[in-house]
Structures are given as structure tokens and as C-alpha cells.
Amino acid sequence: MWAGRFAKALDSMADDFNSSIRFDCKMYKRDIMGSIAHAKMLAKQGIISYGDCESITEGLASILDDIQSGALEIDMSCEDIHMFVEAELTKRIGDAGKRLHTARSRNDQVALDIRMYLREETDKITELLRALVADIADKAEENKAVILPGYTHLQRAQPITFGHHLMAYSMMLLRDISRIRDAQARMNYSPIGSCALAGTTYDTDRQFEADELGFSGVMQNSIDGVSDRDFCVELMSAISIIMMHLSRFSEEIILWSSWEFKFVELDDAYTTGSSIMPQKKNSDMAELVRGKTGRVYGNLLGLLTTLKGLPLAYNKDMQEDKEAIFDSVETVQMCLEIFAPMIRTMKVKAENMYRAAQEGFINATDLADYLTKKGMPFRAAYKVVGQLVAECIDKKCVLDDLPIEAYRLHSELFEQDLYHEISLETCVSKRISEGGTCVSSVEKQIAYVREELKK
Ligand code: ARG
């Protein structure tokens, strides 16, 4: 390609080292679409003839067809996909093919292709997120009245409904959808026509190309156009946050599936056995999602590190962006794909959840509130209940089992109605504050999420 300046060919090991085609071949369709738009712009501006434009667009369309049908194999000895497409085009249509690269550079092309690739792939991520949010809301609806302990510090804290707990994940994933949309909006500007870095002496129409390719506008600075990878970093960080959410959810599913909890049972289709221990049923899918989160974070950190010392404008270091971003995109898609059916088919063990909620004094806050509502200052009530809990631990019983006489030794404010007030059902049904755990609040949250999903 650079015959003229160079007297000899690249060393073959250096050639392999330099080449990116084994991973950027993924972008062949976007590269071809970008080139078709470029040829049209060149013709419209009188930079190439309409005749050449027609041969170029037809040639490019036939290359696309042939790659898609398998008739044309991408030549892995080319340096990258941009060079392969151009070389193949020239092979097919002759001299007109050599005119395509007027007023553009590969630096523009690669920046354009990644943006186009990510634009489509992020739509897929959003769709998968939406499906998962909807599935979680359905699961929450089925379990809106199922009581289990809510935890802080992984210590039983207060009774909650399982629907409420699940809806927390719906809310997180809903924010993820909006984060992806934000990233998409900033990503959707066209770098094509930056022409390596400085712009060009040709009378190009960058807006026309941007419109042809469905961009919101053109990048306003050509140096930024070719050297910006913020959109990759931003998307990878949004993906990292999605993975963090899936990983926390996975961690809970793994814990809940253990014999120690037995709150849920994953479907056989989403678990594996052990090669030696016949009794085992392992939550491998959830563990893998948790594990892959580390790798997705690594991709983000890797690219940030690659970019941090780069002078403007394009540097070859930037070729390292693609494997990382492709891997993060594909990994999050796979994780979301597997997560939805895993949640849909997960069996909820309501009896075990309820049993766990009966232990651990998770109604202690409600008992303190009972005294407070009868006039005792909260701190004093807190202390009384603390003493009662200690008494129960001593007697190996729970607050619900202590006789009224034992209560009245601590305070005259205790009456028979306390037992009703500290029942798990009351604790849950009285938590009516906005966003709280009671059934009607969970229903409201589900309705909110379903409404958001319609947008
Ligand atoms: N393969 C390169 C990349 O992925 C394309 C741009 C190369 N530009 C250049 N001047 N070497 O970044």
C-alpha cells in the first residue's frame, strides 16, 4: 500500500504484529457502508465522477454480498479491514477503486467503523437489559408478598418482601439502560472527513456523509475526530456498571442457592454437577457472570491506561481499543442473555425465606417503634428492646415467644397488642413509605418500571 516511500516489504513477524485484521474484520459491513457514503459524497461534490461513484458503490455492494454469502473470504494477510476492502474493490473495478480514498484516511475510517459497530451493538444491549428488567418485574410480582429477612452487613436486619428485593435490581438495570442511551447520544457524531488529522483541501460535505450514515452531526474538530476514544471508555464504564449489578445479583443467587440459605433453587438447565461429588448442584452461570465482571473491568482499565499518555492525534496504540471493546460488548450481551432465563426459571423457596425471617430478631426495630409510638423516646425504646433481645438469646427464644409479663417488667407501655405489631406480616404491611417493602409499594414499583420500559 505504501509502495513509493519504502524500498522493501515489512518483516513478516512485524507484519503480523502490526496487523489488526483478525479482530477488526468484524467491522466489514460498517466499513463498506461508510465507504459507500463517502463515494456518494465525493461524487456529489464533484471530486469524483458519478460514473466512478457508481462502479464504487456497486463494487462495494458486491463485496458485502460475497462476504455475507461466504463467497468471499476476508484475506487475513491484509493489515486491516479497511485495506482489505479497498484492495478487493480495486481488484474488482480497477482504477475507480483507487479514487475512493480521496479526502479520507484510515484514521477516520476506523473511528467511524467503531462508532457504527457500537451504535448497533448498544441497541442490542439495551434490548437485552429491557428484557431482563421485565423478567425481574414479573418475578417480583409473583413474589410480592413473600417475606424474607433483609440484610445489612449480611446480618439479618428487617423483614422485607422478595418482590421488593428483586425490584432493587430492576431499578439498577433501568439506570443502566439510561446510561447506555446517554453514551449512544454522545457517540453518534461522525469523524469521517477528518482526513488523518488536519482536514482536507477538497470541498467535502461532511454533514452529507453524516446524514447518509445516520449520525446526529459531525465531529467539530478533525484532530479530536481521529483521536477521540472517549465513547469507548464511556461505554465500557457503562458496561462495567451493568456487570457490577449482574455480579452482585449473581453473588446473592449463589448464596441463596447454598444449603445454608436454600432461598432459591436454580433450574437444572442453568446449573452443573460435579465430576466427583454426586450431590452437587453448582450455580456456574452466576459464578461465571461474577467472574467475567473482573475481565470487563480489566478491559476498561486497559483502555484508559492505553490512552492516558497518547499525544494527539492518532497513534497506533489506539489499535488496541478494539479487542477490549468487542470483548466487553460481547461479554455483557452473553451475560444478559443467560441471566434472563436463569431468573425466569429460578424457583423461590418461600417457606425457607419465611423461616429465616422468624429468626434473628428482625422485628426488633418494630418493637422499638411500638414503644416510641406510645410516647417513649426512641433511644430509650431502643435500649429496652436491646435488653429484651439479650434476654431472648439467653432463653433461646424469639421476641414473639416472650410472655407479656416479661415485657411489662421492662415497661408498662407493653400491652397484648405488641404481638400483632411485631408479627412479620405487620412489620411488612406497615412499611408504607414511598419505595418501602409493603406489597402495595412493590406493586407501585413494578408499575413504574413497566411504564418506564414502554418509553
Ligand atoms: N488498524 C488501525 C486501527 O485499528 C487503523 C488505522 C490505522 N491508521 C494508520 N495510520 N496506521 O487503529
Side-chain angles (χ1 to χ4, degrees):
M1 190 65 81
W2 18 90
R5 169 73 175 80
F6 286 74
K8 68 180 190 191
L10 192 59
D11 168 80
S12 79
M13 210 199 294
D15 192 32
D16 280 347
F17 187 68
N18 193 46
S19 147
S20 56
I21 197 159
R22 69 187 181 283
F23 45 87
D24 65 23
C25 59
K26 215 186 273 297
M27 305 189 298
Y28 71 87
K29 187 172 144 213
R30 289 82 180 188
D31 199 71
I32 291 171
M33 303 314 292
S35 288
I36 290 175
H38 189 65
K40 285 186 186 166
M41 185 281 290
L42 292 175
K44 182 183 87 70
Q45 295 300 98
I47 300 167
I48 62 169
S49 69
Y50 273 104
D52 281 347
C53 172
E54 211 179 300
S55 327
I56 292 173
T57 51
E58 278 169 13
L60 288 169
S62 73
I63 295 174
L64 180 60
D65 281 350
D66 290 352
I67 297 177
Q68 277 169 343
S69 72
L72 173 65
E73 220 176 285
I74 296 176
D75 178 2
M76 291 295 157
S77 71
C78 289
E79 186 187 321
D80 57 30
I81 190 64
H82 325 296
M83 289 185 124
F84 166 74
V85 171
E86 193 186 330
E88 179 63 27
L89 179 69
T90 304
K91 211 193 278 172
R92 291 187 182 201
I93 66 166
D95 274 356
K98 296 183 189 165
R99 296 191 198 281
L100 171 63
H101 209 58
T102 315
R104 75 168 187 190
S105 80
R106 278 190 299 153
N107 300 350
D108 316 15
Q109 274 182 282
V110 68
L112 178 81
D113 295 358
I114 311 174
R115 283 169 194 267
M116 287 169 65
Y117 165 86
L118 290 180
R119 209 166 56 180
E120 285 170 41
E121 297 301 320
T122 44
D123 276 343
K124 272 190 228 160
I125 296 175
T126 307
E127 273 323 299
L128 291 166
L129 279 168
R130 291 165 57 86
L132 179 57
V133 170
D135 284 340
I136 295 173
D138 291 346
K139 202 75 182 172
E141 183 155 54
E142 285 164 32
N143 293 282
K144 63 186 174 191
V146 169
I147 295 175
L148 79 161
Y151 294 80
T152 65
H153 312 269
L154 203 56
Q155 299 287 328
R156 288 170 186 157
Q158 291 186 356
I160 55 169
T161 54
F162 193 47
H164 188 211
H165 193 104
L166 289 173
M167 285 312 289
Y169 286 106
S170 279
M171 302 297 172
M172 299 179 212
L173 296 167
L174 214 50
R175 286 196 295 277
D176 288 327
I177 294 174
S178 91
R179 248 185 297 272
I180 295 281
R181 285 198 180 128
D182 286 350
Q184 279 180 320
R186 264 184 295 278
M187 177 191 301
N188 202 28
Y189 286 86
S190 169
I192 194 79
S194 296
C195 298
L197 80 160
T200 179
T201 55
Y202 291 98
D203 176 26
T204 52
D205 185 346
R206 292 187 57 206
Q207 187 61 49
F208 171 86
E209 273 191 81
D211 291 342
E212 281 284 303
L213 296 169
F215 284 96
S216 318
V218 298
M219 295 195 70
Q220 293 296 315
N221 178 301
S222 59
I223 298 175
D224 185 42
V226 288
S227 57
D228 169 43
R229 292 294 183 273
D230 293 2
F231 62 100
C232 295
V233 172
E234 189 175 358
L235 183 66
M236 282 162 109
S237 78
I239 292 176
S240 296
I241 297 173
I242 300 173
M243 290 300 296
M244 178 264 286
H245 291 153
L246 296 182
S247 186
R248 293 182 78 170
F249 204 169
S250 296
E251 170 67 15
E252 296 210 297
I253 289 169
I254 295 160
L255 278 175
W256 293 337
S257 303
S258 69
W259 281 103
E260 283 68 19
F261 278 81
K262 271 285 162 246
F263 284 2
V264 300
E265 185 172 350
L266 290 177
D267 195 82
D268 285 357
Y270 300 97
T271 47
T272 61
S274 151
S275 62
I276 171 173
M277 298 166 280
Q279 85 285 9
K280 289 294 287 281
K281 183 168 177 180
N282 299 328
S283 324
D284 286 31
M285 309 309 133
E287 289 169 40
L288 268 175
V289 170
R290 190 178 58 184
K292 286 175 190 291
T293 303
R295 139 178 185 180
V296 168
Y297 290 0
N299 291 336
L300 168 64
L301 265 292
L303 184 60
L304 278 170
T305 312
T306 297
L307 293 172
K308 80 178 262 290
L310 293 188
L312 299 180
Y314 177 85
N315 300 270
K316 190 76 173 199
D317 314 46
M318 291 162 78
Q319 182 163 287
E320 292 294 309
D321 58 0
K322 279 169 289 299
E323 285 161 294
I325 189 87
F326 293 164
D327 184 65
S328 289
V329 163
E330 283 161 19
T331 302
V332 77
Q333 288 174 348
M334 256 187 327
C335 292
L336 288 165
E337 259 161 26
I338 199 89
F339 225 85
M342 183 176 79
I343 296 297
R344 274 202 305 273
T345 55
M346 177 177 83
K347 279 193 206 68
V348 175
K349 307 252 177 208
E351 343 62 71
N352 294 348
M353 289 184 174
Y354 194 81
R355 205 171 307 125
Q358 286 172 314
E359 296 156 7
F361 308 102
I362 65 178
N363 48 4
T365 314
D366 296 79
L367 188 59
D369 284 343
Y370 170 88
L371 288 175
T372 309
K373 282 176 187 161
K374 291 197 172 196
M376 190 181 285
F378 180 75
R379 269 297 152 239
Y382 174 97
K383 191 170 173 202
V384 168
V385 175
Q387 287 163 346
L388 285 162
V389 166
E391 215 170 297
C392 287
I393 292 172
D394 229 32
K395 295 189 173 138
K396 295 193 171 45
C397 69
V398 290
L399 290 168
D400 313 65
D401 303 331
L402 273 188
I404 188 72
E405 298 74 39
Y407 276 106
R408 291 183 68 86
L409 287 178
H410 288 268
S411 168
E412 293 285 297
L413 294 173
F414 283 122
E415 289 172 273
Q416 201 59 39
D417 62 345
L418 81 89
Y419 296 103
H420 173 259
E421 287 306 304
I422 65 167
S423 80
L424 292 175
E425 287 72 15
T426 311
C427 295
V428 164
S429 68
K430 283 204 164 172
R431 279 182 168 67
I432 52 168
S433 58
E434 202 170 343
T437 206
C438 76
V439 175
S440 63
S441 165
V442 174
E443 282 167 345
K444 234 173 161 177
Q445 296 168 40
I446 295 170
Y448 167 80
V449 162
R450 286 181 178 156
E451 209 44 53
E452 286 296 302
L453 286 181
K454 284 190 202 148
K455 288 182 188 165

